[in-house]
Amino acid sequence: MTTGQAGGALATAPAAAAVRRRITVRGVVQGVGFRPFVHTLATELGLTGHVTNTGDGVVAEVEGAPAALARFGARLGAEAPPLAVVEAVDGEDLAVAGDTGFRILPSRADGPSRTLVSPDAATCDACLAELTDPADRRYRHPFLTCTHCGPRFTIVTAVPYDRALTTMGRFPMCARCAREYADPADRRFHAQPIACHDCGPRLRLLTADPADRTRPPRPATGPDPVAETRRLLADGAIVAVKGLGGYHLVCDASDDTAVTTLRRRKSRGDKPFALMARQLTDVEHLVRLRDEERALLTGPVRP
């Protein structure tokens, strides 16, 4: 701000000196896109520094104008990613370091591990749109995921949550996935389970010999395991689908013979089986749905 006096020179008020703080965020803040969120927020506010995952949560060191740091702290919990649960935010003042830019640092495993990892989250609408778009490079990619959805807790082998400490660690990213992973403007920025048809896991269908149950299952020869599995289900087969948390035994619920066979093999008697459906309209005529149940069946906690 400048002021003038008659016959005098203009005076300029000095800018506020930069300050630096270390901020530790605890709760469900790993595997939910919290580091990319911090990176974007700090960059928007003109702050410098870095952020990393630790065994204690997410730790950020931010430096800049006091007013910008105050806005950063206020927005940190209020605008956190949808899957995040912020339980505590602690800060301490540090000496100014004079950083240029804001970086996401490699995770640190020092100290005791007390942080939480997000549960697995249902595929988001953006990923579902890619899944069904023939022009998208992840069209029908069965392991579709981004920062806002996909496997989390089930694939973790240790914390802090980083790709190398998940079951995706043995699948190196291809060049295109690596570019998305490194792009702050991409929703897969630092998405640890990122993959595509070129670099991710692949589906495989193993079939048993009905005439000789003692023989181990063999890989099916067809080019599309999903299409072949659908054909088998339509023919009354029972399929063991290996998912994130174990195996699901699947059959056509409208096929009485298949359901009876599954009940006999599992000794389930009259105990209900779980039903799977694509959308709410497929089950509205079977059950009574309240608003709370509709929210669960369409939200991120759905199977």
Side-chain angles (χ1 to χ4, degrees), residues 24-36 52-59 81 83-86 107-109 112-120 147 151-153 156 158-163 165-166 190 192:
T24 302
V25 187
R26 298 179 178 87
V28 181
V29 291
Q30 297 191 10
V32 295
F34 208 91
R35 286 179 300 173
T52 187
N53 278 344
T54 74
D56 209 24
V58 169
V59 177
L83 298 180
V85 179
V86 176
S107 296
R108 303 199 320 259
S113 295
R114 295 188 293 265
T115 193
L116 304 174
V117 177
S118 166
D120 303 338
T147 306
R152 295 294 189 273
F153 180 80
V156 166
V159 293
Y161 178 76
D162 240 343
R163 187 180 182 91
L165 298 179
T166 72
H190 273 254
Q192 303 307 320

Side-chain angles (χ1 to χ4, degrees), residues 130-246:
E130 294 174 342
L131 183 72
T132 56
D133 181 2
D136 193 278
R137 75 184 191 90
R138 289 188 173 87
Y139 173 57
R140 298 190 68 196
H141 175 53
F143 304 99
L144 201 63
T145 182
C146 74
T147 306
H148 304 301
C149 70
R152 295 294 189 273
F153 180 80
T154 313
I155 65 171
V156 166
T157 58
V159 293
Y161 178 76
D162 240 343
R163 187 180 182 91
L165 298 179
T166 72
T167 55
M168 290 298 296
R170 62 190 182 95
F171 296 96
M173 284 180 263
C174 66
R176 287 191 291 182
C177 282
R179 282 196 298 271
E180 293 170 335
Y181 182 88
D183 181 2
D186 197 285
R187 79 175 197 282
R188 291 189 169 91
F189 181 44
H190 273 254
Q192 303 307 320
I194 187 173
C196 69
H197 290 289
D198 297 331
C199 63
R202 287 171 171 76
L203 288 182
R204 185 172 62 154
L205 174 64
L206 304 178
T207 57
D209 184 353
D212 186 359
R213 296 289 183 181
T214 63
R215 295 181 60 182
R218 293 174 294 178
T221 57
D224 188 341
V226 174
E228 179 62 13
T229 299
R230 293 182 64 177
R231 185 193 66 78
L232 288 170
L233 290 171
D235 289 344
I238 296 171
V239 179
V241 179
K242 186 177 183 180
L244 288 170

Side-chain angles (χ1 to χ4, degrees), residues 55 125 143 189 193 240 280 290:
D125 290 342
F143 304 99
F189 181 44
L280 285 180
R290 297 172 299 177

